């Protein structure tokens, strides 16, 4: 349906645009990270004046070292993953993999088996190449800063379970989308989008009740005093949740957190045990009030609707691109003559799109920080601002977040305002917090 009034894809122009976007994004990422490393290292010697009374120098220096270590590791990983992306696309890796899988499966097992095998082979190769990086991250970096609590046995166990859950969930939805691409006519992308949305809603229901319990234990909040306090807050805010749970996050990591999951009547509040061990009652209440603020300002709903709209545009774009031979040729893939090219189109799309989407990062970071300020303001009117401030400072310290990020880096990437801005706004009072 598009072919009649949309331009056709010029392979040379698309490869060039991709190469330029990749180069530009790499240049920006390297520039930002080196700014961040320099800025944090420069301010390592002294706790910022606003925190001098509350943050010990040792904690400040640990945060600086952690930030620098993570940034350096991130840059190495970036160099590797960019080389890999080039190998898959412009250098012909996907085409080579496709030839192998096609020859091994198509004639013997048919269209769907060939396409699913191609997706699976790609995912498995990607996971194996990523494995050394993940191991280094968990058992070297996280370990050396005292955050990792995982043993090798747990790691292998998690990996196998994760792969199994991924296959059980991922293969059916992949098969459904591939089938729609082949059988639903020129508007397949609308059907595929609708299925994808349905799938996401299903995961939203299944995640807290079925998937997360496979990896962690969830127990009802045992502390009666805290429970009464939290329920008091929820009643004050007019919020109903099905339950308050404690998750044994400490089994894997020392990083603390609290979150809401589910929607409608299936909503539940989950506290990491690491969070409860660290914060006192009023602080837990303030953190929860912040999360309630996200709900009251409909941030969760807005994010979901935005995601729906963006994926509709994405599927429409894929609908057009997948019908263009130029799309495949641009990334050195020779389209199949006999078999459908849908799995190839999906893989190319998933590899190429993020390179272009990267340039929207500052916009999404900005919107997210605005939401955080709003949620903080809400928390200050329904709990005490001073409690929220001390809770945030403790969590910041426990996660070794730096108090002195590079301002440009923070503007670009930070989904949460830097601690100085955030605490400043909280302590200045609710009316001062509407501005970003
Ligand atoms: Zn938040």
């Amino acid at each position: 349906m598009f072919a009649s009034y949309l331009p056709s894809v010029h392979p040379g122009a698309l490869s060039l645009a991709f190469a330029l976007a990749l180069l530009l994004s790499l240049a920006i990422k390297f520039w930002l990270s080196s700014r961040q490393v320099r800025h944090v290292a420069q301010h390592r010697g002294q706790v910022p004046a606003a925190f001098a009374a509350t943050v010990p120098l040792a904690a400040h220096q640990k945060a600086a070292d952690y930030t620098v270590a993570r940034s350096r590791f991130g840059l190495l990983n970036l160099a590797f993953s960019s080389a890999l992306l080039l190998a898959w696309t412009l250098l012909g890796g996907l085409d080579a993999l496709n030839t192998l899988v096609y020859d091994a499966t198509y004639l013997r097992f048919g269209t769907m088996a060939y396409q699913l095998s191609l997706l699976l082979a790609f995912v498995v190769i990607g996971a194996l190449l990523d494995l050394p990086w993940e191991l280094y991250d968990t058992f070297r970096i996280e370990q050396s800063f005292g955050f990792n609590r995982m043993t090798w046995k747990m790691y292998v166990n998690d990996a196998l379970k994760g792969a199994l859950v991924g296959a059980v969930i991922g293969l059916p939805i992949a098969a459904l989308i591939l089938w729609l691409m082949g059988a639903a006519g020129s508007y397949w992308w609308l059907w595929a989008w609708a299925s994808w949305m349905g799938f996401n809603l299903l995961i939203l229901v299944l995640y807290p009740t079925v998937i997360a319990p496979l990896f962690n234990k969830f127990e009802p909040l045992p502390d009666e005093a805290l429970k009464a306090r939290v329920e008091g807050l929820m009643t004050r805010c007019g919020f109903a949740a099905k339950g308050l749970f404690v998750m044994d996050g400490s089994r894997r990591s020392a990083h603390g957190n609290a979150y809401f999951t589910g929607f409608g009547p299936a909503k539940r509040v989950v506290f990491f045990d690491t969070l409860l061990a660290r914060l006192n009652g009023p602080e837990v209440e303030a953190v929860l009030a912040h999360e309630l603020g996200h709900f009251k300002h409909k941030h969760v709903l807005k994010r979901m609707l935005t995601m729906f709209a963006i994926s509709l545009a994405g599927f429409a774009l894929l609908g057009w691109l997948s019908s263009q031979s130029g799309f495949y040729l641009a990334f050195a893939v020779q389209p199949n003559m006999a078999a459908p090219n849908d799995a190839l189109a999906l893989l190319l799309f998933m590899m190429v799109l993020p390179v272009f989407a990267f340039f929207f990062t500052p916009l999404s970071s900005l919107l997210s920080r605005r939401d955080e300020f709003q949620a903080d303001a809400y928390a200050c009117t329904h709990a005490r601002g001073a409690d929220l401030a001390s809770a945030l400072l403790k969590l910041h310290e426990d996660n070794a977040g730096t108090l002195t990020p590079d301002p440009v880096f923070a503007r670009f990437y930070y989904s949460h305002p830097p601690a100085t801005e955030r605490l400043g706004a909280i302590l200045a009072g609710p009316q001062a917090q509407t501005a970003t």
Side-chain angles (χ1 to χ4, degrees):
M1 57 147 282
F2 284 120
S4 51
Y5 56 91
L6 281 172
S8 55
V9 173
H10 187 286
L14 183 55
S15 336
L16 186 65
F18 172 71
L20 288 179
L22 184 62
L23 268 181
L24 184 61
S25 71
L26 278 178
I28 294 174
K29 286 175 185 175
F30 273 93
W31 175 65
L32 286 170
S33 274
S34 57
R35 281 189 65 111
Q36 171 81 336
V37 166
R38 213 175 329 125
H39 196 91
V40 168
Q42 270 168 6
H43 293 82
R44 186 180 183 277
Q46 206 175 5
V47 181
F51 302 100
T54 40
V55 177
L57 182 64
H60 174 68
Q61 295 190 327
K62 178 185 172 185
D65 297 342
Y66 183 62
T67 306
V68 170
R70 289 223 69 92
S71 305
R72 295 223 165 106
F73 176 73
L75 283 182
L76 279 177
N77 186 258
L78 175 64
F80 173 76
S81 59
S82 307
L84 184 64
L85 179 60
L86 277 180
W88 276 127
T89 54
L90 301 183
L91 299 178
L94 184 60
D95 192 56
L97 180 68
N98 182 46
T99 307
L100 274 177
V101 174
Y102 182 90
D103 289 345
T105 57
Y106 183 63
L107 286 180
R108 252 182 295 172
F109 304 108
T111 305
M112 185 53 84
Y114 148 64
Q115 299 206 88
L116 285 178
S117 306
L118 180 61
L119 294 186
L120 200 63
F122 179 85
V123 170
V124 170
I125 293 172
L128 289 179
L129 290 174
D130 203 37
L131 189 63
W133 296 91
E134 237 183 69
L135 291 177
Y136 190 86
D137 186 2
T138 307
F139 292 104
R140 273 301 169 83
I141 301 183
E142 292 290 300
Q143 188 90 31
S144 68
F145 286 91
F147 291 132
N148 178 46
R149 303 261 173 88
M150 267 211 272
T151 60
W152 282 93
K153 201 179 144 198
M154 273 174 75
Y155 187 90
V156 172
N157 209 347
D158 276 6
L160 293 177
K161 241 192 282 182
L164 199 67
V165 172
V168 167
I169 295 173
L171 284 174
I173 181 71
L176 176 62
I177 288 181
L178 287 170
W179 178 75
L180 287 169
M181 290 175 91
S186 50
Y187 281 105
W188 69 261
W189 51 273
L190 263 183
W191 295 103
W193 173 73
S195 317
W196 178 244
M197 291 305 99
F199 171 73
N200 273 287
L201 292 178
L202 185 70
I203 292 295
L204 220 52
V205 177
L206 289 184
Y207 182 79
T209 49
V210 180
I211 302 173
L214 292 174
F215 295 89
N216 282 97
K217 269 206 206 78
F218 292 82
E219 275 163 0
L221 184 64
D223 181 339
E224 287 300 324
L226 185 60
K227 206 169 143 185
R229 178 181 276 284
V230 165
E231 279 168 351
L233 168 76
M234 303 224 293
T235 317
R236 264 196 333 274
C237 298
F239 191 89
K242 263 286 180 296
L244 308 172
F245 294 87
V246 183
M247 189 190 103
D248 58 345
S250 59
R251 280 184 66 218
R252 291 188 177 81
S253 161
H255 295 300
N257 208 348
Y259 67 89
F260 280 100
T261 71
F263 65 109
K267 275 198 281 281
R268 47 168 71 186
V269 179
V270 176
F271 299 104
F272 281 36
D273 54 356
T274 33
L275 181 96
L276 295 183
R278 189 70 166 107
L279 304 185
N280 62 35
E283 289 168 341
V284 171
E285 183 180 338
V287 167
L288 192 60
H290 169 95
E291 296 299 328
L292 289 175
H294 281 308
F295 264 88
K296 285 291 161 178
H297 283 289
K298 303 214 172 7
H299 295 156
V300 182
L301 185 68
K302 281 179 203 159
R303 263 174 228 184
M304 216 149 82
L305 292 177
T306 311
M307 196 266 285
F308 277 29
I310 291 175
S311 36
L312 178 59
F315 272 104
L317 182 62
L318 177 60
W320 170 55
L321 287 173
S322 64
S323 67
Q324 301 278 319
S325 60
F327 176 54
Y328 305 90
L329 296 172
F331 301 106
V333 172
Q334 209 55 51
N336 302 315
M337 298 310 256
N341 291 299
D342 302 331
L344 283 170
L346 280 178
L347 288 175
L348 281 179
F349 193 69
M350 285 187 302
M351 280 193 277
V352 168
L353 194 67
V355 173
F356 293 98
F358 166 76
F359 298 100
F360 294 96
T361 310
L363 178 65
S364 85
S365 301
L366 176 72
L367 295 176
S368 168
R369 287 195 303 268
R370 196 191 57 187
D371 289 353
E372 294 305 325
F373 277 122
Q374 279 185 347
D376 280 348
Y378 182 89
C380 289
T381 55
H382 292 84
R384 284 184 57 230
D387 291 325
L388 183 61
S390 69
L392 289 177
L393 205 53
K394 280 186 188 173
L395 292 178
H396 210 74
E397 190 180 326
D398 286 1
N399 291 321
T402 176
L403 293 170
T404 57
D406 172 60
V408 182
F409 183 93
R411 281 276 167 278
F412 199 96
Y413 285 119
Y414 273 26
S415 63
H416 287 63
T420 33
E421 288 177 32
R422 205 170 165 193
L423 295 190
I426 291 169
L427 298 173
Q431 67 282 6
Q433 286 171 41
T434 40
T436 44

